[in-house]
Amino acid sequence: MLSSIRLRCSASYGLRSYHLTNMRAFDELRKLEIFFMEETRRGCSVIELYELVQHAGNILPRLYLLCTAGSVYIKTKEAPAKEILKDLVEMCRGIQHPLRGLFLRSYLAQISRDKLPDIGSEYEGDADTVTDAVEFVLLNFTEMNKLWVRMQHQGPARDKERREKERGELRDLVGKNLHVLSQLEGVDLDMYRDTVLPRVLEQIVNCRDEIAQYYLIDCIIQVFPDEYHLQTLDVLLGACPQLQPSVDIMTVLSRLMERLSNYAALNAEVLPYFLQVEAFSKLNNAIGKVIEAQEDMPILSAVTLYSSLLKFTLHVHPDRLDYADQVLGSCVKQLSGKGKINDTRATREIVSLLSAPLEKYNDVVIALKLTNYPLVVEYLDNETKRIMATVIIRSIMKNNTLITTAEKVEALLELIKGLINDLDEPQGLEVDEDDFEEEQNSVARLVHMLYNDDTEEMFKIISILKKHFLTGGPKRLKFTIPPLVVSTLKLIRRLPVEGDNPFGKEASVTATKIFQFLNQIIEALPNVPSPDLAFRLYLQCAEAANKCDEEPIAYEFFTQAYILYEEEISDSKAQVTALQLIIGTLQRMHVFGVENRDTLTHKATGYSAKLLKKPDQCRAVYACSHLFWLEDHETIQDGDRVLLCLKRALKIANSAQQMGSNGQGSAGSVTLFIEILNKYLYFYEKGIPQITVESVESLIQLIKNEESMPSDPYAESLFASTLQFMEFQKQKGGAIGDRYEEIKV
Amino acid sequence: MNFLLGAFKPACNISITFTDGKNRKQVPIKKDNGQIVMNPLFQSQETIAGKIHIDPYQGKKVEHNGVKVELLGQIEMYFDRGNFYDFTSLVRELDVPGEIYERKTYPFEFSSVEMPYETYNGVNVRLRYVLKVTVTRGYAGSIVEYQDFVVRNYVPPPPINNSIKMEVGIEDCLHIEFEYNKSKYHLKDVILGKIYFLLVRIKIKNMDLEIRRRESTGAGANTHVETETLAKFELMDGAPVRGESIPVRVFLTPYDLTPTHTNINNKFSVKYYLNLVLVDEEDRRYFKQQEITLYRLKEETS
C-alpha cells in the first residue's frame, strides 16, 4: 500500500501542471488518511505507522506520508498535538525546492487546520497550548514565505516576468497561514500584539521582497480585525518605512486607513479608542517616515497617501480640523521644492485630496480655516487650479454656504484665484470659450453667496471682491462686475436712510462712499469691449442713487451713461434698446432738480430724434413723453412737453408712412399710429389738459382711414384691442369712465 | 533438517537437533546459492546442546572408527574459497569405533562456548559457526554432516557516545556544518541530526545521506577493500539558502546492517560510514564521509 502511494506520488510530481496534480495528490492522500485511520482501528499502532512512513527513501513522498500519518496520529490523541505538529513543521524543512516546498507546507497547513491545539479545540492540551498552535502556524508561515521569496531569485533573469506571475498565483498559499492565525480563538489582542504581529512583521521586513511585502502587509490588514490594527498601529506602521522602496506602500496604507475609517464610521463607540491610541498622529508620522525612507517615491504616491490620511482623519476626527490642516501641511512640505506638478495622475489625486474636506463638511468655510489648504493649491498647474476652483464653487452652491466675513472671502478668493486671475505664466493652449464662460458664470454666482447682514462687513467683502476682480483682466470683468454691482446695490438698499440714524453714530459706510466705489468698478468696464454692460450698470446705479436721494451722484451716473451712449454704442439696434433704458430709468428719477432733469431729458429726447430708422425714432420720441409727466411728482408734470413729444411722434410716423407708401407698404406705420394712440389714451386718462378729446378722436379717425388700406393682422388686432380697452374703461364708470365717455369713436 | 543428496547414497542419515530448538529464535541466513534458510540463533557463552541422530538406511549397518561432533568457528575468504580458517574448534567424541545397526541418538553439549565473533556474510568474507558431525570410516570415506547456526553478541550501550559535529566546505563555494547526535548507534537506532548551511554558492539539487559499509579483508599488501552503499536516504530536495538548517532523521531498522567489526581475528574488518552527499544541478557530487560505530543492543523483545 505504502509503496503504491509512493509511486503515485513521485510519478505525479514530475508532471508539468503541478498545481493540478497536486490537487489530485491531495485527494489521494485524503483516501490514504482514511486508510491509515482504519488501520489504526484495526489495531495497527499509530506510532509504528508514524515511524514506518519515515522509512521511505525519497523525501517528497516521505514527507507527504509523514504529514498524513501525523494527521492520523493527532486524531488518535496518542501524543499531544503540539508535539506532532512541531515535528512535522520541522521535518518539512527538508524540501527546499520552492514550488514543491510550498505545496507540501500548504498540505501541512491544510491537514493541521482543524487539529491545532487552539482554545476550545478538542486537541487543546494542558497549559497554554495556544502558544504552540500559534508557533506552529507562524513557523510554517515563515518557511513558506522564505520559499516563496526564493522563487524570485531562481532561474534565469529573462524569465522574471513569468516567475512573478507564477508567484502571484501562489501567494494565497502563503497568505492562508495568516488567515488561519486570524481564525484561531486563542489569538486575542495580547497574543496578536506580543507574538503574532511582531513575528509576522519581522518575517515580512526581513524577506526584502517586493511582492511578498506588498501582499503580506495587505494580508495582515485584511485578515485581522480592525480593533487589533487600532491597538497595534504603531507596530504595524513602524514596519512600513522598513519595506523595500519599490513596494507600493501607498496602496497598502491607503487600504489600512480606509479600513480604519470604515471601522470608525460603522462603530461610533470605538472612536474614543482612536483618540486613546492617537491613531492620527501615528499614521501621520508613519507616512512621513515612509516618504522619508523612500526618497524617489513618486509624487503621486505621496499625494495619494496624504489624500487617504486626510480622508481618514476627516472620518475619524471630524472635529479635529487641526489634524486635517496638519495633513495638508505635511503635504505642502512634501510638494515644496518639486515645483508645479506635471503628473496628471498626481494632479488628479491632489484634486481629490482637496475635495475631501469639502465633501465631508459640505461647508467651504471649514476648508477656509485650513491654513495650508491654499498652499497645496499653489502646487497645481493653472488648468487644475481652475478645476479645483470650480469644485469649490460648486460645493458652495450646492450647500448654499454663506460666507460671511471678509477674511474668509479673502481666503476663498485666494483659493479660486485660478478663476479670477490670469495666472502668471501664459498658457500655451487657449481655454475653451464655453468652459471659460461657464467658469466665470460660476464665479458670478459665487458673489451672491458672500453675504453679511452687517453692512460694514459686507462693504469690506465687496471691497475685497473688487480688488480681486479688477485684476482679473478684460475678459473676466464682463462676468464678474455685474454681480458685484448688483450685490453692492443690494447693500445700498439696506443702508439706513441718512439722517434716520437714531444713535447719531457716524456710519462708516455711507452711500456716498459706496457710490464712489461703484463708479470705480464700472469705470473698468468700458475699457473692455462691453460698453453695453457698463451702460446698464450706470443706469442701475443711478436709480439706486435716486433712491438714496443722492442727486449729484445720480447725475454723475447718468452723465457716464450718456457718454457711453454717445461714444461707445453705435449699433442702431443697441442704441434703440439703450435709449429705452435711459428713458425708462430717467422716468423714474425723482431726485433731480429741475435744471438737471431738464438737461437729461432734453438730451434723451435729442437722442431719440437722432435714431436712424423712422419707426425707432417715432417710438423713442413717444416714449420720451413719459419723461415729462410723473404722476406722483407735481413738479414734473409738463403737459405741453408731453403733447409736443406725441405730436412729434405723429409727425415722424407720418413721414415714415410716406416713405413706406413709396416703398414697400405702410403696414408698419399703422402700427405706429396705434401705438401713439395708446400713449394719447394713457395721458388722456391721466387727465392732462393738453391732451384733448379731439386730438384722440382725430387720431382714431386717422387710424381708421389707414385701416381701409391693406394692413397686417398685427396692426388690426392691436387696434381692435385698443378699442376694446376703451370700451372697457367706459363701462367701468367712475372718473375714468367719464373721461372715456367723452371720446366718440 | 539437512539431507545430503549425492550420487552416492550415503549409508546413513545424520540429523542434528538442538535442545531448545523449538523455542529458539531463528534468523534468516543467505546461503551461497542465494537460498535463504532459517538458522537458530546463539550468543557467546551459551551452552550449545542437543542430540545427534544417526539413522542407517534399510537395515544397512554402518561401520565406523568413531563418531565425533565438532563446533567450528570458521572464516572463509572468497578469494580463497573452500579454505576455511578455524578460529574456534571444539570436539566431542560421541562413540568409540564400532557398528551402528539401527537409529542411534547421541546427546552432546558444549557448555559456555566462547564465541567472540558474530556470524557475518560479507562480499568477500564469511564468518560462520557450524556443528560438524563426522562418522569416521576407514575405507569408504567419512560421513560428514554440518549444521549452521548463527551467533550474535549483544553489547551494552557504550558509556561514551559523543555526537559527530563538523564543519566542512569548499572555499567560497559551500560551507556546511553537520551534526549527528551520536557516533555509536545500535542497529535499531535512529540517526538524528541536522545540516546547517553556512554558505551556499552552488545550486544544489538535492542532498542524500548514504550508509556505507566498508569491508576490508586480508592484511598488509593483500588488503582488499570493498565498499557498498546500503542505504540512500534523501534528506533534502531543492536548493537551500544560507542559514537553512535541514533536519536529519534516519531510521536504521529497514536496512540490513551488522555491528562494526574491527580486525576479526586479523582477517577482516567491517566498518560503517555515514556519507553526506550534495548534488548540484550539474550533477557534481560533494560529499563528506564520517565513520559511525554500530553495535548490537540487546533487544527487549527477544
Side-chain angles (χ1 to χ4, degrees):
Chain A
M1 178 66 187
L2 275 187
S3 59
S4 80
I5 289 287
R6 187 169 63 194
L7 268 178
R8 212 173 310 167
C9 286
S10 23
S12 44
Y13 300 131
L15 294 179
R16 276 234 173 114
S17 47
Y18 198 83
H19 214 292
L20 267 179
T21 38
N22 245 289
M23 292 303 122
R24 275 217 300 278
F26 282 11
D27 274 351
E28 292 293 327
L29 287 165
R30 208 167 298 132
K31 284 182 207 154
L32 179 68
E33 190 181 337
I34 295 164
F35 171 77
F36 279 170
M37 206 63 214
E38 280 166 4
E39 280 294 291
T40 56
R41 265 187 225 119
R42 262 182 238 130
C44 174
S45 153
V46 71
I47 301 165
E48 269 170 34
L49 182 72
Y50 193 66
E51 187 192 315
L52 196 62
V53 292
Q54 296 185 62
H55 292 177
N58 289 328
I59 184 155
L60 194 60
R62 179 171 75 234
L63 291 179
Y64 271 103
L65 289 173
L66 186 66
C67 290
T68 315
S71 162
V72 176
Y73 200 174
I74 297 174
K75 270 193 199 158
T76 61
K77 298 184 189 159
E78 285 187 30
K82 61 169 188 173
E83 303 285 336
I84 299 163
L85 289 176
K86 200 173 163 194
D87 187 49
L88 289 177
V89 78
E90 275 299 320
M91 291 313 284
C92 283
R93 283 178 194 275
I95 304 291
Q96 294 288 325
H97 184 278
L99 189 62
R100 294 195 279 270
L102 271 177
F103 275 96
L104 172 69
R105 285 182 179 274
S106 125
Y107 174 68
L108 174 61
Q110 184 190 308
I111 58 129
S112 63
R113 223 181 142 156
D114 51 348
K115 302 181 184 67
L116 296 171
D118 186 18
I119 288 177
S121 148
E122 54 175 315
Y123 303 104
E124 187 185 359
D126 313 331
D128 207 21
T129 49
V130 182
T131 326
D132 299 303
V134 170
E135 199 62 28
F136 165 75
V137 181
L138 278 176
L139 198 57
N140 204 30
F141 162 74
T142 311
E143 291 301 320
M144 278 177 92
N145 189 43
K146 279 193 206 158
L147 292 170
W148 187 43
V149 170
R150 205 180 295 164
M151 280 183 83
Q152 190 70 23
H153 309 292
Q154 289 178 351
R158 68 190 134 84
D159 285 346
K160 189 160 171 271
E161 212 168 290
R162 185 179 56 81
R163 256 198 324 269
E164 285 181 355
K165 192 165 155 273
E166 273 180 11
R167 289 192 59 200
E169 288 163 6
L170 291 170
R171 63 182 194 177
D172 286 345
L173 296 181
V174 185
K176 210 160 69 178
N177 286 300
L178 293 179
H179 188 243
V180 171
L181 276 176
S182 74
Q183 303 280 303
L184 283 178
E185 281 294 319
V187 177
D188 53 9
L189 182 57
D190 287 338
M191 171 77 84
Y192 177 73
R193 185 179 46 217
D194 299 339
T195 313
V196 177
L197 186 63
R199 291 274 302 274
V200 173
L201 281 181
E202 186 195 357
Q203 172 58 28
I204 293 175
V205 169
N206 289 345
C207 76
R208 296 165 169 281
D209 178 80
E210 181 190 343
I211 301 177
Q213 290 182 336
Y214 173 67
Y215 171 71
L216 292 174
I217 286 271
D218 199 35
C219 233
I220 293 183
I221 292 171
Q222 303 302 333
V223 300
F224 290 106
D226 299 310
E227 190 200 338
Y228 290 9
H229 292 317
L230 192 57
Q231 296 294 339
T232 57
L233 208 51
D234 38 355
V235 184
L236 186 59
L237 294 174
C240 291
Q242 301 173 47
L243 301 181
Q244 297 300 100
S246 46
V247 173
D248 184 8
I249 192 74
M250 113 200 160
T251 316
V252 173
L253 282 179
S254 306
R255 285 203 198 145
L256 174 62
M257 288 185 270
E258 198 177 303
R259 260 198 84 148
L260 287 178
S261 32
N262 285 344
Y263 177 53
L266 292 176
N267 309 288
E269 71 273 18
V270 299
L271 280 177
Y273 291 112
F274 277 88
L275 290 174
Q276 193 191 319
V277 300
E278 295 175 317
F280 170 76
S281 55
K282 278 173 188 167
L283 281 169
N284 195 17
N285 280 344
I287 289 175
K289 279 197 197 119
V290 165
I291 290 175
E292 215 172 278
Q294 306 194 358
E295 271 179 11
D296 45 356
M297 181 191 244
I299 200 80
L300 169 66
S301 312
V303 173
T304 314
L305 276 178
Y306 282 120
S307 173
S308 320
L309 179 60
L310 186 63
K311 278 176 195 150
F312 167 78
T313 170
L314 289 176
H315 268 98
V316 179
H317 307 295
D319 48 334
R320 295 296 298 268
L321 211 55
D322 54 328
Y323 284 171
D325 200 32
Q326 226 173 309
V327 177
L328 290 170
S330 320
C331 191
V332 169
K333 220 164 72 196
Q334 185 58 29
L335 291 171
S336 64
K338 303 244 162 111
K340 300 265 177 193
I341 301 158
N342 296 320
D343 182 354
T344 50
R345 279 171 60 212
T347 316
R348 215 174 301 143
E349 204 47 58
I350 292 190
V351 171
S352 105
L353 167 85
L354 292 173
S355 314
L358 297 180
E359 281 161 20
K360 172 66 188 174
Y361 294 112
N362 279 331
D363 186 355
V364 80
V365 176
I366 290 181
L368 293 178
K369 283 193 200 142
L370 303 169
T371 50
N372 284 309
Y373 199 92
L375 297 179
V376 177
V377 175
E378 265 314 293
Y379 288 99
L380 295 171
D381 59 22
N382 296 339
E383 175 75 23
T384 327
K385 268 185 195 162
R386 266 204 300 281
I387 294 172
M388 197 56 231
T390 323
V391 169
I392 294 171
I393 293 175
R394 211 170 289 146
S395 149
I396 297 175
M397 290 302 157
K398 208 175 87 198
N399 303 301
N400 279 324
T401 320
L402 285 182
I403 292 146
T404 50
T405 68
E407 294 110 78
K408 284 181 193 160
V409 170
E410 177 82 52
L412 175 67
L413 289 176
E414 198 58 40
L415 274 185
I416 59 168
K417 223 161 61 182
L419 290 184
I420 296 173
N421 281 336
D422 277 328
L423 294 146
D424 326 332
E425 41 188 312
Q427 278 276 344
L429 82 177
E430 264 311 304
V431 189
D432 184 62
E433 206 57 44
D434 288 345
D435 286 353
F436 179 78
E437 216 164 285
E438 183 64 34
E439 285 165 15
Q440 294 305 321
N441 280 334
S442 66
V443 174
R445 282 203 291 276
L446 175 68
V447 172
H448 298 293
M449 302 309 294
L450 315 175
Y451 179 81
N452 194 321
D453 279 332
D454 180 41
T455 47
E456 269 182 56
E457 193 66 36
M458 187 64 199
F459 184 64
K460 269 192 216 155
I461 294 177
I462 289 173
S463 308
I464 291 165
L465 280 173
K466 174 195 143 197
K467 193 176 83 200
H468 282 91
F469 284 168
L470 286 186
T471 57
K475 271 164 73 190
R476 288 188 181 75
L477 284 178
K478 194 161 70 174
F479 295 95
T480 52
I481 292 296
L484 181 59
V485 171
V486 169
S487 179
T488 318
L489 290 177
K490 266 194 210 157
L491 171 66
I492 290 175
R493 284 196 198 109
R494 283 193 291 134
L495 279 180
V497 181
E498 234 164 320
D500 201 23
N501 195 335
F503 307 106
K505 201 172 71 181
E506 188 95 359
S508 61
V509 185
T510 61
T512 328
K513 209 164 148 193
I514 300 178
F515 281 118
Q516 273 167 8
F517 171 81
L518 275 173
N519 201 12
Q520 283 166 3
I521 306 175
I522 306 174
E523 259 175 7
L525 269 181
N527 301 333
V528 304
S530 50
D532 276 7
L533 203 55
F535 172 76
R536 279 159 201 257
L537 292 173
Y538 274 133
L539 288 180
Q540 295 236 333
C541 293
E543 202 181 339
N546 174 46
K547 286 230 173 78
C548 298
D549 283 330
E550 297 277 359
E551 186 186 351
I553 295 170
Y555 187 76
E556 172 64 22
F557 280 129
F558 253 98
T559 320
Q560 294 291 347
Y562 278 15
I563 292 171
L564 273 182
Y565 178 81
E566 283 170 17
E567 288 177 357
E568 304 285 346
I569 302 175
S570 48
D571 178 54
S572 58
K573 261 193 195 141
Q575 279 182 342
V576 173
T577 332
L579 202 48
Q580 277 167 358
L581 284 170
I582 291 181
I583 295 166
T585 317
L586 194 52
Q587 197 262 344
R588 281 193 298 277
M589 304 298 262
H590 51 76
V591 70
F592 293 130
V594 180
E595 202 175 313
N596 280 343
R597 190 173 172 86
D598 269 356
T599 322
L600 292 174
T601 44
H602 186 76
K603 209 63 178 161
T605 29
Y607 292 148
S608 314
K610 276 184 206 139
L611 286 175
L612 186 61
K613 288 201 274 184
K614 288 287 176 189
D616 291 341
Q617 269 182 23
C618 172
R619 286 189 176 109
V621 169
Y622 72 62
C624 281
S625 61
H626 285 287
L627 294 177
F628 304 109
W629 188 274
L630 262 71
E631 213 170 330
D632 309 330
H633 297 267
E634 300 292 324
T635 49
I636 320 171
Q637 291 191 346
D638 189 346
D640 289 336
R641 300 279 289 274
V642 173
L643 189 63
L644 204 67
C645 281
L646 292 177
K647 281 203 169 136
R648 193 184 288 168
L650 273 176
K651 225 164 88 189
I652 299 167
N654 236 333
S655 64
Q657 188 190 22
Q658 273 160 21
M659 280 167 69
S661 54
N662 295 342
Q664 302 94 347
S666 60
S669 54
V670 179
T671 321
L672 286 177
F673 282 128
I674 301 168
E675 284 167 12
I676 295 169
L677 171 62
N678 275 304
K679 292 291 165 197
Y680 264 96
L681 286 174
Y682 172 80
F683 287 114
Y684 177 72
E685 199 181 300
K686 299 286 177 222
I688 303 176
Q690 283 80 355
I691 309 294
T692 56
V693 185
E694 292 78 34
S695 57
V696 177
E697 282 172 346
S698 66
L699 190 53
I700 297 174
Q701 200 52 51
L702 175 74
I703 295 166
K704 279 192 172 153
N705 290 344
E706 294 295 333
E707 274 280 276
S708 53
M709 295 205 255
S711 71
D712 63 330
Y714 172 69
E716 262 177 59
S717 66
L718 184 61
F719 187 55
S721 56
T722 311
L723 290 177
Q724 219 174 357
F725 170 74
M726 288 166 67
E727 198 59 34
F728 177 72
Q729 292 292 61
K730 255 185 225 175
Q731 288 182 359
K732 234 164 62 174
I736 295 171
D738 291 347
R739 280 191 76 84
Y740 275 96
E741 276 305 331
E742 290 172 35
I743 302 170
K744 301 195 173 48
V745 186
Chain B
M1 290 301 111
N2 277 346
F3 295 97
L4 272 182
L5 299 170
F8 303 99
K9 229 176 187 174
C12 64
N13 185 17
I14 303 171
S15 67
I16 304 164
T17 56
F18 293 99
T19 313
D20 49 358
K22 292 253 164 54
N23 305 322
R24 186 161 287 275
K25 191 175 175 186
Q26 307 267 318
V27 291
I29 284 289
K30 203 172 171 187
K31 284 179 57 175
D32 296 347
N33 55 13
Q35 258 184 327
I36 291 180
V37 293
M38 301 301 283
N39 282 333
L41 176 67
F42 290 90
Q43 56 178 316
S44 190
Q45 303 296 339
E46 263 193 297
T47 296
I48 297 166
K51 290 191 171 77
I52 293 162
H53 311 278
I54 297 177
D55 208 357
Y57 286 106
Q58 295 125 359
K60 275 188 184 169
K61 69 163 194 208
V62 180
E63 269 178 69
H64 62 86
N65 298 333
V67 177
K68 63 176 177 183
V69 58
E70 291 166 284
L71 189 154
L72 299 172
Q74 300 179 316
I75 294 172
E76 181 188 19
M77 299 294 190
Y78 288 172
F79 55 83
D80 191 13
R81 201 170 277 262
N83 188 7
F84 297 104
Y85 171 81
D86 295 349
F87 56 89
T88 295
S89 179
L90 300 168
V91 188
R92 295 281 182 275
E93 295 291 344
L94 297 177
D95 208 352
V96 293
E99 289 174 347
I100 300 171
Y101 299 99
E102 55 188 354
R103 184 183 166 96
K104 194 168 182 186
T105 301
Y106 305 96
F108 69 93
E109 185 185 275
F110 300 95
S111 55
S112 305
V113 191
E114 185 75 27
M115 295 180 287
Y117 309 128
E118 283 201 357
T119 305
Y120 174 75
N121 253 316
V123 183
N124 288 323
V125 65
R126 185 165 72 150
L127 186 150
R128 69 165 190 168
Y129 287 92
V130 71
L131 282 174
K132 183 180 178 190
V133 177
T134 315
V135 178
T136 321
R137 290 197 298 187
Y139 52 95
S142 300
I143 304 168
V144 180
E145 175 63 35
Y146 295 97
Q147 170 62 49
D148 282 83
F149 63 92
V150 178
V151 172
R152 286 181 180 172
N153 287 324
Y154 305 103
V155 298
I160 300 168
N161 198 346
N162 293 324
S163 63
I164 301 175
K165 201 170 178 179
M166 189 171 258
E167 193 185 318
V168 290
I170 310 160
E171 200 173 346
D172 291 335
C173 187
L174 179 72
H175 276 276
I176 61 171
E177 190 181 281
F178 60 80
E179 183 178 349
Y180 308 124
N181 60 337
K182 300 176 194 168
S183 50
K184 295 165 184 165
Y185 294 94
H186 63 81
L187 297 180
K188 308 278 183 204
D189 215 343
V190 190
I191 302 171
L192 298 175
K194 61 173 186 241
I195 288 108
Y196 187 71
F197 286 82
L198 298 165
L199 175 80
V200 190
R201 291 259 171 82
I202 50 173
K203 288 176 177 170
I204 296 171
K205 201 162 70 178
N206 59 352
M207 175 168 72
D208 294 336
L209 189 68
E210 294 175 344
I211 301 173
R212 314 186 86 196
R213 172 156 71 196
R214 208 169 90 133
E215 180 187 287
S216 58
T217 46
N222 294 327
T223 309
H224 193 80
V225 177
E226 191 71 44
T227 308
E228 49 183 329
T229 301
L230 298 178
K232 190 174 166 182
F233 192 81
E234 197 180 9
L235 288 179
M236 184 186 75
D237 168 37
V241 292
R242 214 180 71 165
E244 286 293 349
S245 118
I246 308 298
V248 178
R249 183 190 292 159
V250 184
F251 289 89
L252 296 179
T253 329
Y255 308 111
D256 184 21
L257 304 173
T258 70
T260 299
H261 299 303
T262 319
N263 199 15
I264 299 300
N265 219 44
N266 279 328
K267 293 287 182 200
F268 73 99
S269 291
V270 178
K271 287 181 175 176
Y272 285 90
Y273 295 87
L274 288 180
N275 192 24
L276 186 69
V277 186
L278 290 115
V279 185
D280 74 4
E281 281 184 346
E282 273 116 53
D283 280 329
R284 281 187 292 254
R285 288 162 63 87
Y286 308 83
F287 57 88
K288 178 67 189 173
Q289 198 158 284
Q290 279 292 312
E291 188 182 349
I292 52 167
T293 308
L294 294 182
Y295 64 94
R296 194 183 297 281
L297 192 68
K298 179 79 179 161
E299 285 169 67
E300 300 299 320
T301 47
S302 60

